[in-house]
Amino acid sequence: MSVEKMTKVEESFQRAMGLKKTVNRWRNSHTHCLWQMTLGQRRNPYATLRMQDTMVQELALAKKQLLMVRQAALHQLFEKEHQQYQQELNQMGKAFYVERF
């Protein structure tokens, strides 16, 4: 083999080794990133379970509170409509039947 061919072979070998090192560094950094991302999950799974339980409880309380708010709003609406009907009947000289004790 000539000296020029040997130099080209060495250069391509060096280039291939450089690319291999780059790929290995990328793999290592990718593995490290995945490890860092899952570290919090692996660190304390019980904390995650407690947080999920707390979120479920808060959601149940929020639903209950929303139901109470809706019921109160509906009650106010019915009261307002009742008063309006009562006024209309009073203008016509009529009234709701109310049983006395």
Side-chain angles (χ1 to χ4, degrees):
M1 241 193 236
S2 68
V3 175
E4 293 175 5
K5 287 184 180 179
M6 287 292 284
T7 309
K8 287 182 182 180
V9 169
E10 286 178 11
E11 286 176 5
S12 65
F13 179 72
Q14 292 295 329
R15 194 175 308 130
M17 290 304 290
L19 289 174
K20 185 176 179 181
K21 286 180 183 178
T22 304
V23 168
N24 284 337
R25 274 185 266 152
W26 181 83
R27 280 187 190 148
N28 289 339
S29 66
H30 180 68
T31 304
H32 185 71
C33 285
L34 290 174
W35 180 76
Q36 286 288 343
M37 286 172 29
T38 60
L39 182 64
Q41 295 170 354
R42 290 181 289 122
R43 186 173 286 167
N44 194 353
Y46 295 111
T48 305
L49 290 174
R50 280 193 307 268
M51 189 178 350
Q52 288 176 348
D53 186 46
T54 303
M55 289 187 334
V56 167
Q57 289 175 356
E58 287 179 1
L59 187 59
L61 289 174
K63 286 181 181 179
K64 189 174 181 179
Q65 187 177 17
L66 181 61
L67 179 65
M68 291 172 65
V69 168
R70 286 182 175 175
Q71 286 176 343
L74 191 60
H75 182 71
Q76 287 179 350
L77 177 66
F78 288 152
E79 283 293 323
K80 183 179 177 183
E81 286 180 354
H82 178 74
Q83 289 175 359
Q84 182 180 356
Y85 292 146
Q86 195 171 18
Q87 287 176 356
E88 289 176 7
L89 286 174
N90 283 339
Q91 288 175 356
M92 292 188 296
K94 299 179 180 179
F96 284 119
Y97 172 76
V98 178
E99 187 174 339
R100 296 183 184 174
F101 296 102

